[in-house]
């Protein structure tokens, strides 16, 4: 028999078994592509959630039927469904992993069991035991539908054995239910009924009732809260009018819009150099072709002003715009500026929002109410229908890459969306990634350059402080004498300072003087960090913590030594040296609460603090005109990571943080402290000489065959048994080598490893890695996808998790 059939991607399908499954669509069920459904899955026909990828006509005699339609209209349009396939192919994830990433958490359903009282129970109720009658009464009191977990919790039962007996005896009925995590927010409204005028002819109302009727006659509809406020009545008065049939209540949906700082709107005037860049970008935007551009300019050159003018043009044309920033810390300033110019047309996307706010911002975009989305990497999924422009500010930042499944890079998804919409993708940075700058120089991307700081601002003077000389002079603290002198001068003149230290905590590690052993996390192969705020040793990987004691757990001696400096210690030391200074610390420990980024940065911008101490979240994108001093406390630990990007990351971070100084009318200064001041990367960052850095770095990348001259893929192996995890890595490598010899002899590929990961153990799981230098094309991804599927069938390694990560953040 031929029927309407839905092709469904099912939730919780494992990678090697993930594809579109066919289900018959029951008569009268309006299933469309992009809708979510509940379907029976597997031998037990347990209900699973799925997304409909397509609808067609097939032979359906052997097919199961869709059990329930969860959406009245599609939650994903054609573009986003195609993006699901793109992510599956490029990120080695399942369809539904991609779907869940695209949708806000509040809109997601979860399938659960719920209990109801059998409608045919009748007088049998009185024959039940006291316990069973109590359960029936409880369920009836909750509208006859109670989720299993909630019911067990209220009854105090450890399992559902009693409920199962009641179901078997016909007392209860068990059903599958789809539960939304967050509901739509509504407000109770009131309006007059259509026949209210006729009813009022022969009806006598009290003075209070008449005042409500008069108000509703004027405004058509109002919330109950407004009615009570403006007329001075209590809710009993509107209730009486509803009972008399004169008025009626209805629910109106309202949106939970995140609050933002107030920003004074001002006209943006471009310099000649900025105008030239804007004109070039405007031509590309108007070409109706998919284009990629790089806006490259020194720190403080006004790149934001250029792309803001471009956004004004796109908004004026009725086009939708996405603006991405790398850190939550950058969004408050950006959002305030956008809302000052575009009002409620701006939607916000980032992880600090509540689930309700995320859901409502998503709906405002999907319904066309908001036309500009500003946020971190999740903003790339803003469900716009008419995209004209995507902007990625500070495009080189690693936060645009997801470290968890699906391991996507927002750059690649932005390119996909711009290609679909024939839109312009604009990268903006003072220190673009080596790959982006290479493509711009080679002509694959357009390049637009800003060489001068905006207005009267000039680049700061930079001093490199040799910490070896400080130690020789007896200074073993975290601050060089020249940095302290400059901080004191700033305090005396009412100027502000920023101090960067990319390590949180008080001390970065603890060792024993007697046995020389460091204190490490029992779950991870990483040292514990001392936090003075709670006097505990903490692991920054798994969250393990233990109270700090002076006794060594290895040898039992009382010889522990705290070493290394974190942001907590820097804050304490600078407060001891300058007790009159008002000091603000910003790191992940102080910005856990909601809106903490915005509150702290607003306070600093308002001059409530003299010194800002922080990790890399204070290093980029922020604009404080009164900051005339930047200090980098330890440039060395960033510089010597075991990663091919360590030079690039260090140069970028140093350049960006130095660029925070002197952005107003006063000349800025920056002091970089290092034990290796002769390192050329530090000197280049001090000079803000990106082009010289790039020429040196690209030569190394070409010689060593690193991006952009090859793709990098990391195949990771994670398991609870170290030896078995190692064996799995070597078995996978052998299987891949055999497959390459059999079917891919012409594929350019270099295999490094397997080897232990840089952090070998995390949360009691051991990790191995395999590095592949490859050509990241369809053929390579096809080969690797087949390998991941084939390896999953090796039963010996069922307990080992294997994943592939293109363009990983670290090796």
């Amino acid at each position: 028999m031929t029927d309407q059939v839905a092709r469904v991607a099912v939730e919780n399908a494992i990678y090697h078994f993930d594809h579109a499954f066919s289900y018959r669509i029951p008569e009268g069920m309006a299933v469309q592509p992009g809708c979510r459904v509940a379907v029976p899955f597997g031998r037990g026909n347990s209900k699973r959630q799925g997304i409909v990828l397509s609808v067609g006509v097939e032979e359906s005699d052997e097919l199961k039927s869709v059990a329930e339609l969860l959406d009245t209209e599609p939650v994903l349009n054609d573009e986003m469904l195609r993006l699901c396939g793109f992510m599956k192919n490029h990120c080695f994830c399942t369809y539904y992993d991609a779907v869940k990433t695209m949708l806000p958490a509040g809109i997601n359903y979860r399938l659960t069991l719920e209990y109801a009282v059998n409608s045919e129970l009748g007088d049998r109720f009185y024959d039940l035991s006291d316990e069973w009658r109590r359960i029936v009464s409880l369920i009836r009191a909750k509208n006859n539908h109670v989720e299993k977990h909630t019911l067990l919790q209220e009854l105090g039962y450890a399992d559902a054995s009693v409920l199962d007996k009641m179901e078997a005896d016909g007392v209860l009925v068990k059903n599958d239910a789809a539960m939304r995590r967050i509901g739509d927010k509504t407000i109770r409204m009131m309006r007059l009924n259509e026949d209210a005028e006729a009813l009022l002819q022969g009806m006598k109302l009290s003075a209070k009732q008449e005042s409500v009727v008069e108000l509703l006659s004027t405004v058509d509809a109002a919330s109950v809260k407004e009615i009570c406020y403006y007329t001075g009545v209590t809710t009993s008065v509107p209730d009486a009018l509803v009972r008399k049939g004169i008025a009626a209540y209805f629910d109106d949906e309202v949106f939970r819009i995140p609050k933002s700082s107030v920003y004074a709107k001002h006209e943006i005037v471009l310099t000649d150099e900025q105008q030239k860049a804007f004109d070039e970008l405007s031509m590309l935007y108007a070409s109706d072709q998919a284009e990629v551009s790089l806006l490259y300019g020194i720190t403080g050159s006004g790149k934001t002003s250029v792309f803001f003018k471009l956004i004004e043009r796109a908004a004026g044309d009725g086009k939708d715009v996405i603006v991405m920033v790398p850190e939550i810390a950058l969004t408050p300033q950006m959002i305030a500026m956008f809302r000052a110019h575009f009002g409620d047309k701006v939607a916000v996307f980032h992880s600090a929002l509540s689930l309700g706010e995320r859901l409502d911002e998503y709906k405002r975009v999907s319904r066309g109410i908001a036309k500009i989305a500003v946020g971190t990497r999740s903003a790339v999924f803003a469900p716009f229908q008419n995209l004209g422009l995507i902007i990625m500010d500070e495009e080189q930042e690693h936060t645009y890459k997801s470290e968890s499944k699906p391991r996507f890079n927002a750059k690649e998804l932005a390119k996909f969306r711009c290609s679909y919409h024939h839109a312009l993708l604009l990268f903006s940075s003072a220190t673009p990634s080596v790959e982006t700058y290479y493509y711009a120089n080679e002509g694959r991307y357009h390049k637009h350059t800003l060489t001068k700081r905006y207005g009267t601002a000039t680049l700061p003077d930079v001093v490199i402080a040799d910490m070896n000389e400080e130690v020789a002079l007896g200074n073993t603290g975290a601050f060089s004498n020249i940095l302290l002198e400059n901080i004191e001068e700033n305090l005396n003149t009412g100027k502000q300072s920023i101090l960067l230290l990319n390590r949180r905590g008080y001390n970065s590690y603890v060792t024993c003087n007697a046995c020389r052993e460091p204190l490490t996390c029992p779950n991870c192969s990483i040292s514990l960090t001392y936090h003075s705020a709670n006097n505990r040793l903490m692991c920054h990987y798994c969250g393990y913590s233990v109270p700090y004691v002076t006794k060594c757990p290895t040898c039992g001696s009382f010889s522990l030594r705290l070493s290394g400096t974190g942001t907590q210690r820097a804050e304490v030391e600078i407060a001891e040296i300058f007790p009159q200074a008002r000091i603000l610390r910003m790191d992940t420990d102080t910005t856990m609460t909601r809106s903490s980024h915005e509150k702290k940065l607003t306070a600093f911008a308002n001059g409530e603090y003299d010194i800002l101490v922080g990790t890399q979240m204070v290093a980029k994108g922020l604009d404080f005109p009164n900051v005339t001093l930047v200090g980098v406390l330890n440039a060395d630990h960033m510089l010597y990571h075991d990663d091919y990007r360590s030079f690039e990351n260090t140069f970028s971070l140093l350049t960006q943080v130095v660029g925070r100084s002197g952005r107003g009318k006063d000349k800025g200064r920056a002091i970089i402290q290092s034990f290796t001041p002769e390192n050329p990367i530090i000197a280049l960052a001090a000079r803000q000489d990106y082009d010289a850095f790039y020429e040196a770095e690209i030569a190394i990348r070409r010689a060593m065959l690193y991006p952009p001259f090859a793709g990098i893929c990391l195949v990771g192996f994670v398991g609870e048994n170290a030896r078995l995890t190692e064996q799995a890595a070597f078995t996978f490598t052998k299987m891949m080598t055999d497959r390459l010899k059999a079917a891919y002899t012409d594929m350019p590929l270099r295999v490094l490893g397997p080897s232990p990961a840089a952090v070998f153990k995390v949360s009691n799981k051991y990790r191995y890695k395999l590095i592949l230098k490859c050509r990241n094309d369809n053929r390579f991804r096809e080969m690797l996808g087949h390998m991941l599927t084939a390896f999953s069938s090796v039963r010996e390694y069922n307990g080992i998790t294997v994943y592939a990560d293109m363009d990983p953040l670290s090796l």
Side-chain angles (χ1 to χ4, degrees):
M1 186 173 70
T2 303
D3 276 306
Q4 283 281 102
V5 169
R7 302 280 288 169
V8 180
V10 180
E11 185 178 25
N12 295 328
I14 52 181
Y15 176 77
H16 66 272
F17 197 62
D18 180 56
H19 58 85
F21 298 91
S22 294
Y23 285 89
R24 188 178 66 83
I25 301 174
E27 191 76 26
M29 186 179 285
V31 175
Q32 303 175 62
C35 287
R36 288 169 299 175
V37 292
V39 294
F41 189 78
R43 292 180 181 175
N45 285 329
S46 60
K47 272 193 185 178
R48 289 202 193 178
Q49 189 175 169
I51 188 84
V52 179
L53 300 177
S54 64
V55 174
V57 177
E58 291 182 25
E59 289 292 328
S60 62
D61 294 338
E62 303 293 324
L63 297 182
K64 301 174 184 179
S65 296
V66 174
E68 184 180 357
L69 178 63
L70 302 180
D71 300 303
T72 55
E73 57 185 37
V75 292
L76 296 181
N77 59 21
D78 175 70
E79 177 200 1
M80 303 312 273
L81 288 174
R82 293 189 188 190
L83 187 58
C84 284
F86 179 86
M87 291 178 68
K88 176 177 173 61
N89 182 36
H90 285 71
C91 306
F92 303 98
C93 65
T94 66
Y95 281 115
Y96 217 87
D97 287 334
V99 171
K100 286 193 291 187
T101 304
M102 292 179 188
L103 296 177
I107 205 173
N108 284 326
Y109 284 97
R110 56 188 176 88
L111 297 182
T112 183
L113 285 174
E114 65 178 23
Y115 288 91
V117 178
N118 192 331
S119 60
E120 299 178 359
L121 180 62
D123 291 339
R124 281 189 60 204
F125 173 80
Y126 301 103
D127 298 328
L128 303 178
S129 66
D130 290 344
E131 181 185 19
W132 284 26
R133 282 204 303 271
R134 180 173 72 93
I135 294 172
V136 168
S137 299
L138 177 61
I139 294 173
R140 282 175 170 168
K142 294 182 176 292
N143 296 319
N144 204 32
H145 290 283
V146 187
E147 190 182 348
K148 176 182 176 181
H149 173 76
T150 303
L151 188 58
L152 291 176
Q153 203 170 41
E154 294 209 15
L155 294 170
Y157 291 167
D159 57 48
S161 56
V162 173
L163 302 178
D164 291 339
K165 288 178 183 177
M166 294 176 71
E167 183 198 7
D169 198 40
V171 176
L172 298 182
V173 177
K174 185 165 62 175
N175 298 302
D176 291 308
M179 312 288 289
R180 267 269 297 276
R181 290 187 69 182
I182 298 293
D184 299 324
K185 186 176 181 180
T186 58
I187 186 170
R188 200 174 200 196
M189 303 287 289
M190 188 178 189
R191 63 185 164 214
L192 296 177
N193 287 327
E194 290 183 3
D195 57 352
E197 190 174 343
L199 289 171
L200 288 168
Q201 296 297 326
M203 189 178 296
K204 185 172 179 62
L205 300 180
S206 68
K208 290 182 177 180
Q209 290 172 347
E210 285 181 350
S211 66
V212 174
V213 170
E214 183 180 352
L215 176 66
L216 291 176
S217 299
T218 305
V219 299
D220 186 43
S223 70
V224 174
K225 185 177 181 180
E226 289 173 324
I227 290 169
C228 294
Y229 177 78
Y230 285 110
T231 62
V233 303
T234 63
T235 55
S236 62
V237 176
D239 288 344
L241 291 172
V242 171
R243 286 196 301 271
K244 291 179 178 183
I246 295 170
Y249 289 131
F250 67 97
D251 289 331
D252 190 28
E253 187 175 3
V254 294
F255 294 116
R256 293 154 281 209
I257 299 177
K259 295 179 181 179
S260 64
S261 304
V262 177
Y263 184 91
K265 181 179 179 180
H266 62 274
E267 185 65 27
I268 295 173
V269 179
L270 301 182
T271 64
D272 291 343
E273 192 176 50
Q274 290 173 324
Q275 187 67 45
K276 179 176 181 292
F278 170 72
D279 291 340
E280 293 170 351
L281 288 165
S282 291
M283 289 179 62
L284 293 170
Y285 157 78
S287 68
D288 198 32
Q289 298 291 324
E291 302 281 5
V292 182
S293 279
L294 168 64
L295 180 59
Y296 162 58
I298 61 172
T299 56
S301 59
K303 295 181 290 297
T304 303
S305 297
V306 174
F307 67 64
F308 201 91
K309 280 287 189 181
L310 197 61
I311 294 165
E312 283 185 336
R313 172 165 181 186
D317 292 342
K319 295 281 190 176
D320 302 322
V321 179
I322 293 174
V323 182
M324 284 183 274
V325 293
E327 295 268 4
I328 293 175
L330 301 183
T331 50
Q333 275 191 336
M334 191 76 79
I335 292 164
M337 183 172 70
F338 273 86
R339 283 197 171 146
H341 284 78
F342 301 107
D344 61 4
K345 297 293 185 184
V346 179
V348 184
F349 287 77
H350 60 73
S351 59
L353 302 181
S354 69
L355 292 180
E357 287 172 338
R358 293 186 211 184
L359 174 61
D360 288 353
E361 292 296 83
Y362 183 89
K363 288 191 294 186
R364 290 204 310 123
V365 169
S366 64
R367 296 176 187 179
I369 299 170
K371 304 294 286 181
I372 301 169
V374 182
T376 49
R377 69 171 177 254
S378 60
V380 77
F381 299 114
F384 286 123
Q385 305 288 335
N386 190 27
L387 261 179
L389 177 65
I390 297 180
I391 295 170
M392 295 187 72
D393 197 20
E394 308 294 356
E395 66 83 27
Q396 78 285 352
E397 288 300 324
H398 69 275
T399 49
Y400 287 125
K401 175 73 164 67
S402 171
E403 291 188 87
S404 58
K405 186 175 67 173
R407 296 173 173 84
F408 67 90
N409 191 322
K411 285 185 189 179
E412 298 305 314
L413 303 192
K415 288 178 187 176
F416 177 93
R417 297 202 67 184
C418 285
S419 176
Y420 184 92
H421 288 275
H422 297 239
L424 172 63
L425 172 59
L426 177 59
F427 296 133
S428 174
S429 181
T431 55
S433 67
V434 170
E435 295 92 325
T436 296
Y437 201 67
Y438 175 80
Y439 296 144
N441 285 343
E442 292 294 305
R444 290 175 59 177
Y445 299 164
H446 302 277
K447 184 168 75 169
H448 319 273
T449 305
L450 302 177
T451 61
K452 302 170 186 174
R453 276 201 157 188
Y454 185 78
T456 59
T458 58
L459 288 173
D461 296 325
V462 182
V463 175
I464 302 174
D466 187 344
M467 296 305 289
N468 297 296
E469 294 179 1
E470 296 289 329
V471 172
L473 294 172
N475 178 10
T476 58
F479 302 92
S480 62
N481 288 316
I482 189 171
L483 179 56
L484 293 175
E485 291 168 6
N486 278 271
I487 293 173
E488 184 174 21
E489 182 182 340
N490 259 25
L491 290 172
N492 292 335
T493 57
K495 300 300 179 184
Q496 293 175 298
S497 307
I498 292 178
L499 303 178
L500 170 70
L501 178 58
N502 212 19
R503 284 182 182 273
R504 62 189 178 101
Y506 192 87
N507 292 101
S508 50
Y509 58 96
V510 183
T511 54
C512 176
N513 281 332
C515 66
R516 307 295 182 187
E517 286 292 318
L519 270 64
T520 58
C521 173
N523 309 317
C524 311
S525 53
I526 198 77
S527 60
L528 294 170
T529 299
Y530 174 64
H531 286 246
S532 61
N534 55 7
N535 195 38
R536 298 182 75 86
L537 296 171
M538 301 181 68
C539 174
H540 290 170
Y541 276 76
C542 71
Y544 170 84
S545 74
V546 64
Y548 174 71
V549 293
T550 56
K551 184 178 180 181
C552 174
T554 303
C555 68
S557 67
F558 293 86
S559 305
L560 294 184
R561 181 178 79 253
L562 299 170
S563 305
T565 299
T567 48
Q568 284 184 8
R569 181 177 174 184
E571 178 190 23
V572 170
E573 286 192 10
I574 203 70
E576 290 174 350
I577 298 169
F578 302 110
Q580 79 280 17
R582 298 167 301 168
I583 302 168
L584 173 66
R585 188 177 102 240
M586 280 192 69
D587 52 31
T588 52
D589 295 320
T590 64
T591 55
M592 293 182 189
T593 58
R594 198 160 161 247
S595 302
S596 55
H597 291 88
E598 181 175 358
K599 291 175 183 176
K600 291 178 183 296
L601 291 175
T602 300
F604 187 71
N606 291 338
E608 297 174 27
Y609 294 94
D610 304 307
I611 302 172
L612 173 59
V613 181
T615 52
Q616 64 180 3
M617 67 174 63
V618 306
K620 44 193 173 282
L622 302 173
D623 192 352
F624 301 116
N626 199 40
V627 171
T628 58
L629 175 65
V630 163
V632 180
L633 300 191
N634 185 353
D636 299 319
H637 85 269
M638 300 180 286
L639 200 54
Y640 300 107
H641 281 182
D642 184 19
D643 191 293
Y644 76 93
R645 288 197 188 95
S646 61
F647 283 4
E648 178 184 4
N649 292 339
T650 302
F651 176 86
S652 176
L653 186 59
L654 292 179
T655 302
Q656 293 286 345
V657 73
V658 166
R660 298 313 104 204
S661 178
R663 299 174 75 90
K665 64 181 186 298
D666 298 305
K667 180 74 173 177
R669 292 154 292 163
I671 296 167
I672 302 174
Q673 298 183 169
S674 173
F675 284 96
T676 57
E678 69 283 355
N679 190 293
I681 300 300
I682 295 176
L684 290 170
R687 297 204 309 265
Q688 303 266 294
D689 193 346
Y690 177 83
D691 288 297
F693 160 76
Y694 170 78
E695 290 301 327
E697 182 69 13
I698 201 69
I700 296 172
R701 298 280 186 95
R702 183 181 284 108
M704 300 298 293
L705 201 62
Y706 280 117
F709 302 103
I712 297 287
C713 180
L714 181 146
V715 182
F717 305 84
V718 182
E720 296 180 355
N721 182 296
R723 184 168 181 78
L724 193 63
T725 306
E726 180 185 23
Q727 287 176 354
F730 278 93
T731 300
F732 182 95
T733 305
K734 175 67 166 58
M735 290 173 62
M736 186 180 68
T737 303
D738 293 341
R739 180 178 286 270
L740 289 169
K741 289 177 180 178
Y744 299 92
T745 53
D746 60 332
M747 180 178 287
L749 191 68
R750 291 189 182 181
V751 181
L752 308 177
S755 62
V759 181
F760 180 45
K761 185 173 73 167
V762 174
S763 298
N764 283 319
K765 291 187 176 180
Y766 299 90
R767 311 192 304 168
Y768 272 80
K769 65 183 180 183
L770 183 66
I771 305 298
L772 306 177
K773 291 184 178 181
C774 60
R775 180 182 295 152
N776 185 11
D777 56 15
N778 285 332
R779 193 156 175 258
F780 169 76
R781 292 192 295 271
E782 174 193 78
M783 181 278 296
L784 189 54
H786 286 161
M787 278 304 310
L788 293 171
T789 300
F791 187 77
S792 66
S793 63
V794 183
R795 294 188 177 182
E796 182 183 353
Y797 303 117
N798 281 349
I800 306 297
T801 299
V802 185
Y803 66 89
D805 186 6
M806 291 301 307
D807 187 31
L809 289 179
S810 61
L811 302 181

